Amino acid sequence: MHIDARKLEDDSIIEGDVCIIGAGTAGISIALEWIDSKKKVILLEGGGFEYDKDVQSLYSGETTGQKYYPLQSTRLHYFGGTTGHWAGMCSPYDPIDFQERDWVPHSGWPISREALDPFYSRAHRTLELGPYNYDFESWKAKIPGLIPFPVDENVVWNKLWQFSEARFNSLYAETIINSKSVHLYTYANVVDILGNENLTKIHEVVAKNHSGKTCKIRAKQFILACGAIQNARLLLASRTQTSQGLGNDNDLVGRYFMEHLEHASAELWLFKPFPTKLYTWSSDTEVRAELAITEKSQRENQILNGTVSLFPLTLGRSLKSEMDLWNNEDPRKSAENFWNDIADARAAAEKITEGSISRAFTLHTRIEQAPNPNSRVTLLSEKDELGVPKTKLNWELTALDKRSIRRIYQLLGRQMGLSNLGRVRLNEFLRDEDDTAWPDDLNAGWHHMGTTRMSDTPKKGVVDPNCQVHGISNLYVAGSGCYTTSGAPNPTLTLVALSLRLSDYIKEKV
Ligand SMILES: Cc1cc2nc3c(=O)[nH]c(=O)nc-3n(C[C@H](O)[C@H](O)[C@H](O)COP(=O)(O)OP(=O)(O)OC[C@H]3O[C@@H](n4cnc5c(N)ncnc54)[C@H](O)[C@@H]3O)c2cc1C
């Protein structure tokens, strides 16, 4: 069922069993689990079914610290959320990503990778991916020509990715609209969350839109699913009953913001051509590998988890920095700049001799960011058009992040040399071991994580292992904001898995 909240009477009251705030990747993944339920599920979406510039502008904000994309254009504010822009790259987190590592401050999830395995498998269906199988040997048997570099498996392994084409807007709108149990309200922007006197339970949320109408939504369970930056913003901005915001007794909401550093960092020059079908991506690719550093080697070298992907050098050298290209406040224009640059670089690459393409590569880093309490989302005094304080993001990196990137290429370079395959040449910004500075155009993956981190105790994080806000019995957070550490892979497969796990938990509870 679908209702446009702009057409409701002002001050309407809506009641249901479960209220999901945000119909993006996490919110829709959960709503789909309740399609045939006897419970009444209210799904609140701030936008409509298409891009709306007034709604999108509610995402505007300010950034400080390491240069970042304009906040207004790093997410999409309408039904389907940021799947409208995502590239669909998926791979599960590794067991080590969940573990406490004494060389990574603030690491260690209160759940293990095994706890997520059954949900990864279900998330594959939600994201219309292939089988939940990332085992290299079985894919090698299935697809001819997947040949790995002959390097020491104790140091480097081949981590696989699959590719999703799921755009939740076109894929799931009809299913949601036709459901009798899920009541979707579009143009219902949540601006405040209200609870009982001592804030141990939420009673209602207040939603507004640009037509000037307000409605109140009452439910037994509330799930915040507005993306990591926006979830933190809404908790911090819900100050009607508490000056520091909800779930923020320990000043942790918004802290530990993490991104994935995705940056051209080195070059690989092979002595002779090597078949690289396993490592390169084309339109018919089912799986692709990145060169990953083993758990053993991460421990020995005390580094973060990261991978390396290959681009033909002729293409890689022509690509401009994403941080410079994705600079427009309108996300559609930023995306256009980005895709146009790839098309231009491809055209330029085709003019260069073919031989070099199979011998020389740009190496791109994909690495977790170490959790850092000073990397954080806070509120500005300026408000958006619906009266919610705007977001300030201070993105801050640490020396461990840089040391880890450098070390990954040193390890890979050594392996390439020992196997007599070729040489790795570090890019300028990594060459000086004492230099902890970052290039201005350092790229990030548009992956927002960590602002409502998961922990066993309220002293260390915002949500408990079931994604319930510590101390508030019926308020949950869905999405990558709950990540305690950020892993190296793109975050969406894991956030869908975690959302399905949360959905099961709430089903049991109600
Ligand atoms: C260019 C780009 C490429 C990417 N590529 C990849 C990739 O290859 N692989 C990968 O894993 N990830 C990728 N990502 C990241 C991925 O898109 C996100 O991880 C994912 O979409 C986040 O899901 P979410 O549900 O938390 O947030 P979203 O999908 O952004 O959904 C949030 C929803 O909440 C709604 N909302 C916000 N505020 C309110 C409010 N106050 N009231 C009601 N509703 C509200 C929004 O309108 C939206 O529908 C990419 C992102 C970008 C921008």
Side-chain angles (χ1 to χ4, degrees):
M1 186 183 295
H2 167 234
I3 303 109
D4 184 332
R6 293 172 302 183
K7 297 187 180 143
L8 293 172
E9 294 216 348
D10 196 18
D11 283 330
S12 292
I13 292 178
I14 301 158
E15 290 184 289
D17 293 297
V18 177
C19 173
I20 306 168
I21 305 162
T25 324
I28 292 176
S29 298
I30 295 174
L32 291 170
E33 298 288 306
W34 296 74
I35 283 292
D36 298 318
S37 164
K38 293 206 167 61
K39 302 288 176 193
K40 180 174 171 189
V41 174
I42 297 162
L43 176 58
L44 302 175
E45 169 50 47
F49 289 102
E50 280 169 25
Y51 183 87
D52 176 318
K53 74 174 175 25
D54 291 334
V55 178
Q56 189 67 34
S57 72
L58 300 172
Y59 270 161
S60 73
E62 203 179 284
T63 64
T64 53
Q66 181 68 33
K67 185 180 168 190
Y68 199 62
Y69 307 112
L71 286 184
Q72 189 169 321
S73 62
T74 51
R75 303 153 283 168
L76 288 176
H77 206 327
Y78 59 101
F79 182 87
T82 313
T83 59
H85 266 170
W86 82 320
M89 297 187 66
C90 293
S91 187
Y93 281 22
D94 299 329
I96 193 174
D97 296 327
F98 297 86
Q99 294 161 12
E100 189 173 343
R101 293 161 280 168
D102 55 16
W103 65 98
V104 183
H106 314 287
S107 61
W109 295 46
I111 61 170
S112 66
R113 154 71 193 267
E114 291 80 64
L116 277 190
D117 268 332
F119 302 98
Y120 269 132
S121 168
R122 277 164 59 185
H124 259 237
R125 291 199 286 278
T126 312
L127 291 167
E128 298 200 318
L129 287 158
Y132 177 49
N133 176 7
Y134 289 86
D135 174 49
F136 173 61
E137 291 304 324
S138 69
W139 280 101
K140 199 172 96 178
K142 191 175 151 200
I143 303 175
L146 297 185
I147 301 167
F149 286 125
V151 289
D152 183 352
E153 289 172 359
N154 286 311
V155 181
V156 176
W157 64 292
N158 296 290
K159 183 165 172 64
L160 295 184
W161 259 254
Q162 294 192 35
F163 303 90
S164 163
E165 289 183 359
R167 307 252 173 240
F168 279 19
N169 181 307
S170 50
L171 186 60
Y172 290 128
E174 212 178 302
T175 313
I176 299 276
I177 290 168
N178 291 336
S179 166
K180 289 202 173 72
S181 44
V182 177
H183 297 224
L184 166 68
Y185 289 80
T186 49
Y187 291 99
N189 261 289
V190 169
V191 296
D192 203 1
I193 306 171
L194 301 165
N196 59 1
E197 204 182 332
N198 48 5
L199 281 176
T200 52
K201 201 168 176 192
I202 300 305
H203 282 329
E204 65 182 28
V205 296
V206 181
K208 288 189 175 177
N209 52 51
H210 285 87
S211 73
K213 299 224 179 108
T214 297
C215 59
K216 288 180 180 149
I217 301 91
R218 295 180 182 154
K220 294 181 185 114
Q221 314 291 332
F222 292 87
I223 305 167
L224 256 184
C226 297
I229 295 178
Q230 184 79 335
N231 287 339
R233 176 189 181 199
L234 285 176
L235 288 172
L236 291 171
S238 293
R239 300 190 284 208
T240 309
Q241 295 167 284
T242 164
S243 58
Q244 77 270 26
L246 282 178
N248 197 29
D249 293 353
N250 294 299
D251 186 24
L252 290 172
V253 173
R255 289 191 186 270
Y256 300 95
F257 170 84
M258 295 172 286
E259 249 285 9
H260 287 131
L261 308 182
E262 295 186 357
H263 199 74
S265 307
E267 290 177 359
L268 169 64
W269 288 82
L270 297 174
F271 295 138
K272 51 181 193 233
F274 187 90
T276 51
K277 180 174 172 175
L278 173 61
Y279 302 106
T280 40
W281 186 53
S282 67
S283 53
D284 63 343
T285 302
E286 274 185 86
V287 287
R288 190 195 77 167
E290 297 192 357
L291 295 159
I293 302 301
T294 59
E295 190 173 319
K296 179 172 175 283
S297 192
Q298 285 176 52
R299 287 187 192 284
E300 281 166 7
N301 289 280
Q302 309 243 301
I303 55 172
L304 297 163
N305 199 355
T307 66
V308 173
S309 60
L310 268 63
F311 283 80
L313 188 73
T314 43
L315 177 64
R317 275 195 178 169
S318 308
L319 287 170
K320 295 200 185 94
S321 147
E322 283 144 28
M323 198 50 76
D324 291 337
L325 290 165
W326 203 281
N327 58 5
N328 202 297
E329 293 282 345
D330 183 334
R332 299 166 304 172
K333 295 205 174 112
S334 276
E336 200 178 307
N337 286 346
F338 172 70
W339 289 112
N340 283 346
D341 181 62
I342 292 183
D344 290 349
R346 281 221 171 98
E350 271 162 24
K351 290 192 193 129
I352 304 170
T353 52
E354 252 186 33
S356 60
I357 294 179
S358 57
R359 280 210 315 121
F361 299 86
T362 308
L363 299 179
H364 278 248
T365 305
R366 187 191 305 285
I367 194 170
E368 65 176 319
Q369 174 185 346
N372 172 5
N374 299 327
S375 183
R376 69 186 292 204
V377 168
T378 51
L379 299 178
L380 295 169
S381 50
E382 190 191 346
K383 294 184 174 163
D384 70 17
E385 284 185 357
L386 301 182
V388 182
K390 292 188 174 187
T391 309
K392 179 178 167 189
L393 169 67
N394 181 50
W395 184 33
E396 263 192 35
L397 302 166
T398 60
L400 176 60
D401 301 317
K402 190 159 182 191
R403 186 175 69 73
S404 300
I405 299 181
R406 184 183 296 115
R407 192 73 193 128
I408 286 172
Y409 289 98
Q410 289 167 344
L411 289 165
L412 187 63
R414 190 171 147 73
Q415 287 304 313
M416 289 292 169
L418 285 172
S419 314
N420 211 21
L421 283 164
R423 293 280 181 267
V424 168
R425 180 175 185 264
L426 268 62
N427 284 2
E428 186 66 43
F429 80 102
L430 290 176
R431 286 187 204 153
D432 177 354
E433 298 258 353
D434 299 323
D435 180 12
T436 53
W438 295 92
D440 255 2
D441 64 351
L442 182 76
N443 293 321
W446 305 273
H447 303 157
H448 307 148
M449 297 166 282
T451 54
T452 51
R453 73 195 320 248
M454 188 189 280
S455 65
D456 271 332
T457 74
K459 292 269 179 234
K460 287 187 175 172
V462 177
V463 300
D464 74 7
N466 293 312
C467 298
Q468 182 203 309
V469 175
H470 282 297
I472 307 182
S473 64
N474 65 343
L475 180 62
Y476 306 86
V477 181
S480 46
C482 299
Y483 296 1
T484 314
T485 50
S486 60
N490 313 58
T492 307
L493 173 63
T494 300
L495 85 80
V496 173
L498 204 55
S499 301
L500 300 180
R501 181 172 172 273
L502 170 61
S503 176
D504 277 13
Y505 178 75
I506 295 177
K507 268 190 187 168
E508 219 162 89
K509 204 164 165 179
V510 302

